[in-house]
Amino acid sequence: FRVFEETAEKLCLVWQGPRFPAFLCLGIALLLLFVSVPIAYVIHLNGFVGAAGSLWYFPLMNLILFGISLYLLSQKRTIIIDNSAQRITLQKCSLHHTALLSITYREIKRLNLGVDQVYSGFAVAGSSSAQTFPVPSLRLIAIGGESILLDRGSLRRLEELARRVSNQVDKPLD
């Protein structure tokens, strides 16, 4: 997250999606236009016969890459800490979905800077599946015991974020 707005009354943090993969997909799609447009034109003229017809997947692959890049560029997460309303609002937006969570300061017990165990994914070439590795995380702990993940990442960056959020919310940091 980066600080978008910071005043005495409001702290707004924004994460703008995975930029490198999005621009990589967009760059590859733009480069493939030099191949895809002539193939699509020849397919339009002659149909799916001949050498160009057997390359029908290039324009399709190009459309898929454009779609992936648009989806990645549309992802956005926002944390708004509003002191005047005594409320934290978490918003997650993408091309097809928006999720909103709002919690008041009275419902927050504390902030926790800890470690999450993250699963590595599927097994590859004989490795054991479901291996986990530790990742630093920042969580809000509600009075009822519920845990709300704010961010994961490097410990140094999360310590700065935790200090800012703790100061705004005026809750203890573990």
Side-chain angles (χ1 to χ4, degrees):
F1 284 93
R2 65 178 172 80
V3 177
F4 182 73
E5 176 185 353
E6 185 172 17
T7 63
E9 289 297 313
K10 190 176 194 178
L11 174 63
C12 184
L13 306 166
V14 176
W15 177 75
Q16 209 43 58
R19 293 296 193 204
F20 178 75
F23 287 125
L24 182 65
C25 284
L26 188 61
I28 292 170
L30 289 174
L31 284 174
L32 285 177
L33 277 177
F34 291 107
V35 176
S36 297
V37 169
I39 291 172
Y41 181 68
V42 170
I43 290 174
H44 176 69
L45 291 178
N46 300 335
F48 287 100
V49 293
S54 63
L55 297 174
W56 59 268
Y57 55 89
F58 270 94
L60 180 66
M61 183 173 47
N62 215 10
L63 285 174
I64 291 170
L65 282 172
F66 273 123
I68 291 171
S69 64
L70 285 176
Y71 174 74
L72 292 175
L73 287 171
S74 74
Q75 289 186 347
K76 181 180 178 180
R77 294 183 183 183
T78 308
I79 300 173
I80 300 172
I81 302 170
D82 190 358
N83 283 339
S84 61
Q86 296 283 301
R87 176 175 302 280
I88 295 179
T89 305
L90 308 169
Q91 184 177 15
K92 179 181 173 183
C93 297
S94 69
L95 199 56
H96 62 84
H97 181 71
T98 298
L100 188 70
L101 174 69
S102 186
I103 185 170
T104 62
Y105 288 5
R106 288 181 285 125
E107 297 173 287
I108 301 171
K109 184 177 181 180
R110 59 185 164 83
L111 274 86
N112 182 15
L113 184 59
V115 175
D116 284 354
Q117 292 296 321
V118 177
Y119 291 96
S120 63
F122 58 90
V124 177
S127 67
S128 56
S129 63
Q131 292 181 352
T132 62
F133 55 96
V135 176
S137 66
L138 177 61
R139 293 181 174 272
L140 286 175
I141 308 298
I143 290 179
E146 296 88 6
S147 175
I148 302 166
L149 177 66
L150 292 180
D151 198 8
R152 288 187 183 135
S154 72
L155 188 60
R156 183 176 43 175
R157 188 177 58 79
L158 287 179
E159 285 173 342
E160 174 66 23
L161 178 62
R163 184 188 58 77
R164 277 193 163 124
V165 172
S166 180
N167 287 342
Q168 286 286 98
V169 179
D170 197 29
K171 297 290 181 179
L173 175 66
D174 294 348

